[in-house]
Amino acid sequence: QSALTQPRSVSGSPGQSVTISCTGTSSDVGAYNYLSWYQQHPGKAPKVVIYEVSKRPSGVPDRFSGSKSDNTASLTISGLQAEDEADYYCCSYAGSPYVFGTGTQVTVL
Amino acid sequence: QAQLVQSGAEVKTPGASVKVSCTASGYTFTSYYMHWVRQAPGQGLEWMGIINPNGGATTYAQKFQGRVTMTSDTSTGRLYMELSSLRSDDTAVYYCARAGRYGGKFDYWGQGTLVTVSS
């Protein structure tokens, strides 16, 4: 099972929107709606920000949103804030194994 | 409030085995699956496998088949991940992460355990 493909980095100014893509195949991202996104700050454990493609856990700001089309999922952060600077990973259920994305570093300029 | 507390850092020599523990509290132990995920220094997250503490059924990533064993102890609320035949590229932070169901989100994570493999 190959890792899902994400851009290495994206950046934006405070208040702007950024979108991170996560591309897989018809066996993982395209096959299931069990697609989640994790935020990881340096030296910390990951934290879920989106699950089942577009659902937000309680406590996660509504500036985080998710979507999916065919084999590509996307995470959008609207109204970018300094604390959003972190690494982001997508993760898809793939029938039995799970597979993570390659990770994207978000920089707030 | 659920909590996952992992065992401390380990230093192992190549060829040895390591056993990392994850102590769960604050929820019904047998009602949630537990995943193990690792992260090599400066690298991304890598899924290793899943265990259902209710019965002990496991599924491992193909990459780790034959080298990893995940177990659970309902009497203590502890889960274990043992990795054998360690190599230098097994140096990583190992996390346990809870999920409510198969396919579900990893909603609580342990603090991570650094395993260093070095001669």
Side-chain angles (χ1 to χ4, degrees):
Chain A
Q1 196 77 32
S2 300
L4 308 177
T5 302
Q6 298 180 230
R8 183 173 291 271
S9 64
V10 299
S11 61
S13 300
Q16 288 187 329
S17 294
V18 295
T19 296
I20 304 167
S21 61
C22 168
T23 301
T25 69
S26 58
S27 297
D28 40 57
V29 176
Y32 304 94
N33 284 329
Y34 294 127
L35 190 291
S36 49
W37 289 91
Y38 298 87
Q39 175 193 64
Q40 186 180 35
H41 288 107
K44 300 294 187 181
K47 169 192 169 186
V48 60
V49 293
I50 292 289
Y51 67 101
E52 291 176 18
V53 177
S54 59
K55 298 178 181 179
R56 262 181 299 106
S58 60
V60 172
D62 60 5
R63 62 178 183 274
F64 289 90
S65 62
S67 64
K68 190 185 83 165
S69 177
D70 296 328
N71 298 337
T72 298
S74 298
L75 173 70
T76 297
I77 310 173
S78 306
L80 200 60
Q81 298 188 8
E83 60 262 35
D84 299 334
E85 185 161 294
D87 293 327
Y88 292 82
Y89 296 90
C90 59
C91 179
S92 177
Y93 176 65
S96 178
Y98 292 67
V99 59
F100 280 97
T102 50
T104 299
Q105 182 177 57
V106 171
T107 301
V108 181
L109 301 171
Chain B
Q1 180 83 336
Q3 190 173 18
L4 303 176
V5 178
Q6 298 184 221
S7 49
E10 303 259 14
V11 179
K12 296 292 182 181
T13 54
S17 296
V18 68
K19 193 170 187 177
V20 178
S21 70
C22 171
T23 303
S25 62
Y27 69 95
T28 303
F29 182 73
T30 52
S31 295
Y32 291 81
Y33 295 91
M34 195 66 72
H35 297 261
W36 289 89
V37 176
R38 78 176 187 179
Q39 186 171 36
Q43 303 300 309
L45 302 172
E46 182 175 30
W47 184 80
M48 299 181 68
I50 182 175
I51 181 169
N52 182 353
N54 187 9
T58 54
T59 300
Y60 303 136
Q62 190 170 9
K63 174 177 179 176
F64 300 102
Q65 292 270 4
R67 277 211 305 146
V68 71
T69 304
M70 296 176 187
T71 56
S72 64
D73 184 341
T74 55
S75 67
T76 60
R78 282 196 184 136
L79 302 104
Y80 300 92
M81 186 285 299
E82 184 170 21
L83 189 63
S84 62
S85 303
L86 289 169
R87 307 183 289 257
S88 58
D89 62 359
D90 290 318
T91 294
V93 175
Y94 291 76
Y95 294 101
C96 56
R98 192 190 80 162
R101 57 186 170 86
Y102 230 84
K105 64 185 182 295
F106 304 166
D107 58 359
Y108 284 91
W109 294 66
Q111 83 276 20
T113 296
L114 175 62
V115 175
T116 302
V117 183
S118 174
S119 55

